[in-house]
Amino acid sequence: FLEGFSLGQVCHFVQLAISKRKVLGYSDGSVVPYAFSQSMVKEQCANCQKPCAAPGAGEDGAAAMPFATWEIARKCLHEILE
């Protein structure tokens, strides 16, 4: 059904489907239906005000890495700036 459209037009359609219409999204670097995309997962987590599960997270969705305290963040920032 895309016959007659240029490659640039098809790319534009896909970009609009991803960025504006939420018909398509990305998952593991591939374009997938929005319902299976990381964008949908992130949006649902944001709506629930919960962190998104990181790769390797437990069954309960808890993040695999702990949250940093302000003390740890300051220490790491200081090390970076030295």
Side-chain angles (χ1 to χ4, degrees):
F1 77 97
L2 296 174
E3 188 176 336
F5 291 104
S6 70
L7 177 59
Q9 289 172 314
V10 173
C11 290
H12 186 69
F13 296 156
V14 172
Q15 185 60 35
L16 289 174
I18 292 169
S19 64
K20 302 290 183 192
R21 301 291 181 152
K22 295 183 179 179
V23 174
L24 299 174
Y26 289 105
S27 180
D28 296 324
S30 298
V31 176
V32 297
Y34 186 78
F36 301 108
S37 70
Q38 280 299 115
S39 298
M40 189 197 75
V41 172
K42 289 180 181 181
E43 185 175 330
Q44 287 178 337
C45 290
N47 288 338
C48 296
Q49 296 183 346
K50 294 183 179 180
C52 292
E59 289 181 20
D60 62 351
M65 295 179 60
F67 290 103
T69 63
W70 280 111
E71 181 181 337
I72 293 171
R74 280 187 206 102
K75 180 182 173 192
C76 291
L77 183 57
H78 187 267
E79 288 177 14
I80 292 169
L81 295 175
E82 284 184 340

